[in-house]
């Protein structure tokens, strides 16, 4: 039973990190002017309204992308040039009070002759996605993303990349992510595999285990394969405890204190670009100095 709905979270700090990395991956793919295949295993609904009652309830987009856009317009001279691609794409939708999800970003950036394949399992979200993507060149699957990726790789056009953005509602997602990415890397070793993961204190071990499994497998196949791991914290790990100090210490449910991107075969300059833009994002969101770079090779 799927209960996660991205409408509550769209445009938050995690989307900013993930979509910046996504835009950078596409910028790299588009540089050569040659076709490629892109897979999005967990597509979501595609477009999200700032004034959706679910977005207003959490305030995550207000504290995330809306704050970033406001900061970028007030301090335009400080905006890193690497960020322009993402910002101009986001501004196009923000003008209509919306934030673009991953399949819309991918479809906007898709190069000529390239193939985009996206899957979404939640029936209601898939219906919305189908409407949003009408008229766009994309193959949509109402299907389990892990299963779709295994079934359709390696693709006919071998140049390419994958975004895996599970909701991690079930612990099973951590094992599915590790197993699927190992299997896919084995049969499609040249692909860029980008996996988003949450930073949750009560899940630290399982998250580390997931990353270690992929890393060991990939490096076991070829010790020279590059892996980039970029955690981006927006809060301290125990911030949920501090906020409830006057009541029962530690009783609040630990919450997302950031997230990370784990990338096998990161495109050239992905790390450099993230290093340039994340300090600006952190400043805009009021969490200076929280981006950590750990090249896991
Ligand atoms: N990638 C989207 C973006 O960046 O705009 C957001 C995706 S959201 C974090 C995760 C989505 O995965 C949800 O819409 C959820 O319904 C869907 N989902 C959950 N399990 C899935 C599965 N096994 N296969 C495909 N989609 C799944």
């Amino acid at each position: 039973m799927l209960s996660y709905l991205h409408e509550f979270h769209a445009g938050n700090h995690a989307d900013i990190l993930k979509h910046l990395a996504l835009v950078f991956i596409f910028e790299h793919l588009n540089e050569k002017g040659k076709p490629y295949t892109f897979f999005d295993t967990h597509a979501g609904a595609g477009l999200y309204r700032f004034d959706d009652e679910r977005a207003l309830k959490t305030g995550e987009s207000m504290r995330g992308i809306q704050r970033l856009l406001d900061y970028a317009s007030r301090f335009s001279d400080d905006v890193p040039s690497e960020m322009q691609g993402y910002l101009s794409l986001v501004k196009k939708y923000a003008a209509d009070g919306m934030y673009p999800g991953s399949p819309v970003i991918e479809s906007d950036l898709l190069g000529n002759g390239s193939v985009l394949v996206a899957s979404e399992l939640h029936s209601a979200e898939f219906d919305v996605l189908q409407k949003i993507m009408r008229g766009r060149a994309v193959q949509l699957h109402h299907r389990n993303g892990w299963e779709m990726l295994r079934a359709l790789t390696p693709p006919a056009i071998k140049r390419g990349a994958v975004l895996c953005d599970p909701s991690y509602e079930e612990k099973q997602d951590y094992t599915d992510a590790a197993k699927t990415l190992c299997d896919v890397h084995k049969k499609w070793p040249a692909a860029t595999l980008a996996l988003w993961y949450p930073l949750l204190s009560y899940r630290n071990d399982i998250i580390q285990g997931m990353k270690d499994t992929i890393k060991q497998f990939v490096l076991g196949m070829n010790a020279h394969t590059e892996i980039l791991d970029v955690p981006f914290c927006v809060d301290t790990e125990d911030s949920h405890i501090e906020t409830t100090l006057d009541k029962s210490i530690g009783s609040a449910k630990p919450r997302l204190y950031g997230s990370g991107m784990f990338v096998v075969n990161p495109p050239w300059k992905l790390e450099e670009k993230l290093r340039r833009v994340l300090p600006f994002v952190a400043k805009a969101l009021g969490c200076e100095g929280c981006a950590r770079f750990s090249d896991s090779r």
Side-chain angles (χ1 to χ4, degrees):
M1 171 68 184
L2 297 168
S3 56
Y4 176 94
L5 288 173
H6 200 58
E7 283 76 359
F8 287 98
H9 312 290
N12 68 0
H13 56 85
D15 266 5
I16 294 171
L17 169 69
K18 177 198 315 169
H19 294 160
L20 276 166
L22 185 62
V23 169
F24 294 154
I25 290 171
F26 268 87
E27 285 174 350
H28 174 80
L29 287 169
N30 287 336
E31 250 166 32
K32 281 195 180 157
K34 289 187 182 160
Y36 50 85
T37 311
F38 195 94
F39 291 96
D40 186 338
T41 54
H42 297 71
L47 263 182
Y48 306 91
R49 292 209 59 84
F50 290 151
D51 62 1
D52 183 294
E53 63 181 33
R54 294 161 292 187
L56 295 175
K57 189 170 179 191
T58 61
E60 289 187 29
S61 126
M62 245 178 305
R63 293 194 302 278
I65 189 61
Q66 295 184 62
R67 191 178 279 182
L68 175 62
L69 289 174
D70 176 58
Y71 190 87
S73 75
R74 284 190 293 123
F75 301 98
S76 52
D77 289 349
D78 300 341
V79 178
S81 57
E82 291 81 355
M83 217 164 158
Q84 293 303 348
Y86 170 72
L87 280 183
S88 59
L89 197 150
V90 166
K91 276 186 203 163
K92 191 172 80 180
Y93 293 94
D96 293 324
M98 292 186 284
Y99 183 74
S102 56
V104 165
I105 296 174
E106 291 149 7
S107 146
D108 273 11
L109 298 179
L110 194 70
N112 276 344
S114 298
V115 176
L116 174 59
V117 187
S119 61
E120 168 58 46
L121 192 55
H122 192 291
S123 299
E125 294 293 88
F126 183 76
D127 287 347
V128 179
L129 179 67
Q130 259 191 321
K131 287 190 189 111
I132 299 288
M133 302 302 282
R134 195 165 288 151
R136 291 176 180 251
V138 56
Q139 297 170 25
L140 292 180
H141 293 253
H142 183 199
R143 183 177 181 183
N144 184 314
W146 303 123
E147 188 258 319
M148 177 277 284
L149 192 61
R150 282 162 189 276
L152 302 185
T153 48
I157 303 173
K158 296 239 167 15
R159 229 180 133 237
V162 176
L163 172 68
C164 296
D165 182 22
S167 42
Y168 298 97
E169 264 178 279
E170 307 287 341
K171 272 197 195 165
Q172 184 66 31
D173 265 332
Y174 297 95
T175 22
D176 283 345
K179 176 136 188 39
T180 307
L181 291 196
C182 292
D183 290 352
V184 169
H185 178 72
K186 189 173 181 185
K187 50 186 186 156
W188 191 20
T192 292
L193 306 177
L195 173 67
W196 177 87
Y197 63 89
L199 292 176
L200 287 164
S201 51
Y202 66 104
R203 291 274 199 240
N204 277 345
D205 290 348
I206 194 167
I207 292 164
Q208 195 55 50
M210 172 182 74
K211 294 193 288 181
D212 287 347
T213 302
I214 302 170
K215 188 175 151 188
Q216 277 163 21
F217 182 86
V218 167
L219 298 183
M221 269 185 63
N222 178 349
H224 299 293
T225 306
E226 273 191 50
I227 298 175
L228 177 70
D229 185 11
V230 184
F232 180 60
C233 309
V234 293
D235 226 327
T236 58
E237 208 172 314
D238 59 358
S239 57
H240 60 287
I241 296 176
E242 285 170 63
T243 54
T244 57
L245 210 54
D246 56 332
K247 296 221 167 128
S248 48
I249 294 172
S251 67
K253 190 172 182 269
R255 57 169 179 258
L256 200 69
Y257 63 91
S259 69
M261 288 302 293
F262 184 85
V263 188
V264 177
N265 293 320
W268 190 57
K269 288 201 172 167
L270 177 64
E271 178 175 359
E272 192 182 315
K273 286 181 172 183
L274 287 171
R275 274 186 195 278
R276 290 263 303 140
V277 302
L278 287 179
F280 182 83
V281 175
K283 214 169 189 176
L285 304 191
C287 53
E288 231 167 314
C290 305
R292 285 198 311 266
F293 284 82
S294 38
D295 188 338
S296 334
R297 191 169 54 186

